[in-house]
């Protein structure tokens, strides 16, 4: 075995997790002024996430991330007006979506959204202009138009005509409106607004790092965002909010079929070394700062829906709490934000395959802020690899 191969084998079998640097675990790979993630705090440009969730709106947070500072009243008004004016999506995009989003075949909305953003690059007047001014314009257009792509995709999937954005609704409420054609209840709009704040930014997570890698080649913002969407789709990253809800539905069906309890489902999962979606985090080992905030709001929605004589939607939180307790007691692993997100969006009546696209509608702000930061002080991202392949051989020998 080569010495490089010996090192890799040592890493793979080590019981010392701290020495396992696969997946760049524990490695600091660059500087950022945008966000700080650590065991005790999640901070966007100096503001703590609980403070933002309680006191800011998503539009204010988007401005903070993209422009770099808290907006004043006039700046906020202009930013909101600009976003509203940019909301309508071009006919070209609607035409293509109407061909690809209508099943069959059933195409995942993340794939539709990736194509939608790629199409937006064809009609954006500044696609290949990487100047700071053009990039801020493009970031605003992407932020304003992604809800339209998500909404049109859902309406087409449901066999309906896409609707025009409603200029009287804020970003979160308009996103929900565009997916149904109905103005959302106040609490739903509020909960969506907070969830967008919670999802907006998270330093060098996989999708943001992907965006930065693409941007570092001096490629354009749309290309980088398409890459970010691809990275976010995976169930170990953004796709976990959908996977978490699918798992809760599986537990519910398991119990309804008389096969056992939450406890026995969990024991089976542990015995088969199954990964439980919506749990664990590369950075947070004592809990995700965002999870408790979203769980509280989601439960409020479930309680409101249930008290109106509808089905008892709080059951999802009862099952979720049991899963959470068992995970903590037996594995000492906490839920991440995707766990309560799954339940919250479910009780709001949002179709499960749209949970990760909604994550995009928010995270695009963080991605664009990072793409701009990368371009401001660029050097191509090109790390080294530790070769562990075979030794030198002769092609003709
Ligand atoms: C998020 C995630 C990818 C982080 O991966 P990571 O940093 O490589 O994981 P860690 O090194 O912290 O894992 C430590 C141990 O806990 C286990 N673990 C971590 N998350 C787990 C989960 N969700 N279910 C079961 N076991 C889990 C790992 O298998 C590992 O066990 P081992 O030491 O026996 O190999 C991982 O926790 C995961 O896959 N979670 C589920 C998907 C998810 O919710 N993603 C959204 C993240 S915001």
């Amino acid at each position: 075995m080569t010495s490089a191969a010996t090192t890799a084998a040592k890493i793979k079998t080590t019981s010392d997790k701290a020495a396992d640097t696969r997946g760049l675990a524990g490695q600091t790979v660059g500087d950022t002024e945008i966000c700080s993630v650590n065991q005790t705090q999640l901070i966007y440009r100096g503001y703590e996430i609980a403070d933002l969730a309680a006191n800011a709106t998503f539009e204010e947070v988007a401005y903070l991330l993209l422009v770099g500072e808290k907006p004043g009243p006039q700046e906020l008004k202009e930013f909101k007006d600009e976003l509203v004016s940019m909301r309508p999506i071009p006919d070209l995009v609607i035409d293509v979506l109407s061909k690809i989003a209508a099943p069959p075949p059933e195409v995942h909305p993340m794939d539709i959204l990736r194509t939608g953003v790629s199409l937006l690059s064809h009609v954006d007047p500044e696609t290949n202009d990487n100047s700071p001014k053009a990039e801020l314009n493009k970031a605003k257009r992407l932020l304003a138009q992604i809800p339209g792509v998500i909404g049109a995709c859902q309406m087409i999937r449901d066999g309906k005509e896409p609707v025009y954005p409603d200029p009287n609704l804020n970003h979160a409420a308009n996103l929900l409106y565009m997916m149904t054609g109905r103005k959302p209840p106040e609490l739903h709009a509020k909960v969506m607004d907070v969830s967008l704040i919670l999802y907006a930014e998270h330093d060098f997570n996989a999708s943001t790092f992907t965006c930065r890698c693409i941007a570092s080649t001096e490629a354009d913002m749309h290309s980088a965002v398409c890459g970010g969407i691809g990275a976010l789709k995976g169930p170990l990253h953004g796709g976990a909010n959908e996977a978490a809800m699918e798992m809760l539905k599986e537990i519910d069906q398991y119990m309804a079929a008389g096969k056992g309890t939450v406890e026995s489902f969990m024991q089976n999962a542990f015995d088969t070394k199954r990964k439980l979606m919506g749990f664990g985090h590369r950075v947070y080992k004592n809990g995700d700062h965002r999870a408790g905030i979203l769980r509280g709001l989601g439960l409020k929605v479930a309680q409101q829906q249930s008290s109106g004589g509808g089905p008892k939607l709080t059951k999802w939180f009862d099952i979720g709490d049991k899963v959470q307790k068992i995970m903590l007691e037996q594995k000492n692993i906490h839920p991440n934000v995707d766990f309560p997100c799954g339940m919250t969006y479910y009780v709001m009546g949002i179709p499960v395959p749209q949970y990760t696209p909604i994550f995009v509608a928010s995270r695009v702000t963080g991605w664009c802020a990072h793409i701009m930061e990368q371009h401001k002080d660029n050097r191509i991202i090109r790390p080294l690899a530790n070769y562990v392949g075979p030794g030198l051989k002769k092609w003709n020998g």
Side-chain angles (χ1 to χ4, degrees), residues 32 38 71 93 120 168 181 187 217 227 244 265 287 306 325 374 379-380 396-397:
T32 182
N38 60 50
V93 180
L120 287 173
N168 299 312
L187 181 61
T217 70
F265 181 95
S306 307
K325 186 166 175 280
Q374 183 68 37
R379 190 170 186 200
I380 191 166
N396 286 326

Side-chain angles (χ1 to χ4, degrees), residues 83-382:
L83 290 183
V84 166
S85 73
M86 291 170 166
R87 278 180 188 169
I89 55 174
D91 289 346
L92 167 78
V93 180
I94 294 284
D95 286 351
V96 177
L97 293 189
S98 64
K99 292 188 176 73
I100 61 173
E106 181 93 16
V107 178
H108 193 283
M110 274 299 267
D111 299 335
I112 303 283
L113 181 56
R114 191 195 58 233
T115 301
V117 169
S118 190
L119 286 168
L120 287 173
S121 80
H122 294 271
V123 285
D124 195 292
E126 296 173 296
T127 298
N128 291 311
D129 184 346
N130 287 353
S131 66
K133 187 164 172 276
E135 292 217 304
L136 184 57
N137 290 337
K138 287 188 283 186
K140 287 179 198 166
R141 280 193 285 272
L142 280 165
L143 174 60
Q145 293 179 335
I146 282 175
V149 178
I150 295 172
C153 168
Q154 187 55 42
M155 293 297 273
I156 293 164
R157 276 168 76 87
D158 290 342
K160 298 179 191 157
E161 280 290 310
V163 292
Y164 283 99
D166 184 337
N168 299 312
L169 297 177
N170 70 14
H171 196 80
N174 181 61
L175 168 63
L176 289 169
Y177 167 72
M178 296 209 72
M179 293 171 71
T180 60
R182 290 187 306 276
K183 201 176 150 198
E186 213 173 296
L187 181 61
H188 291 207
K190 173 67 189 160
V191 173
M192 178 54 66
D193 190 73
V194 176
S195 78
L196 296 180
I197 292 174
L198 299 177
Y199 267 142
E201 168 53 12
H202 220 212
D203 81 16
F204 283 15
N205 59 85
S207 58
T208 302
F209 193 58
T210 302
C211 288
R212 288 194 78 126
C213 284
I214 296 173
S216 83
T217 70
E218 294 188 359
D220 61 282
M221 182 174 269
H222 285 82
S223 296
V225 169
C226 285
I229 293 174
L232 193 77
K233 182 183 169 191
L236 298 192
H237 190 12
N241 57 8
E242 296 177 19
M245 191 60 220
E246 292 299 354
M247 186 183 76
L248 289 179
K249 283 163 68 183
E250 191 187 333
I251 297 175
D252 186 49
Q253 282 161 9
Y254 170 86
M255 293 195 297
K259 291 183 181 164
T261 59
V262 178
E263 287 75 8
S264 60
F265 181 95
M266 294 293 285
Q267 195 51 55
N268 288 340
F270 295 147
D271 292 347
T272 54
K273 300 212 176 307
R274 174 176 172 170
K275 244 192 187 165
L276 298 195
M277 291 303 164
F279 284 87
H281 199 273
R282 174 58 63 76
V283 181
Y284 301 132
K285 298 303 173 197
N286 306 314
D288 180 331
H289 313 306
R290 305 161 297 177
I293 300 172
L294 200 48
R295 183 199 171 276
L297 290 170
L299 183 60
K300 244 188 195 176
V301 175
Q303 284 164 340
Q304 191 188 63
Q305 309 273 90
S306 307
S307 71
K312 203 171 169 294
L313 294 176
T314 46
K315 81 168 179 184
W316 299 108
F317 289 82
D318 297 338
I319 298 173
D321 286 351
K322 279 191 188 156
V323 171
Q324 192 170 318
K325 186 166 175 280
I326 297 167
M327 272 301 264
L328 205 51
E329 283 172 0
Q330 298 208 27
K331 298 281 171 189
N332 195 26
I333 298 178
H334 293 259
N336 56 57
V337 67
D338 293 316
F339 192 62
C341 173
M343 295 181 258
T344 302
Y345 287 174
Y346 195 76
V347 299
M348 285 165 71
I350 301 171
V352 177
Q354 294 290 5
Y355 297 180
T356 319
I358 292 173
F359 192 158
V360 173
S362 160
R363 183 59 59 87
V364 70
T365 52
W367 289 339
C368 290
H370 279 273
I371 293 163
M372 290 189 277
E373 190 177 63
Q374 183 68 37
H375 280 162
K376 214 168 108 192
D377 181 24
N378 192 46
R379 190 170 186 200
I380 191 166
I381 296 174
R382 204 302 181 195

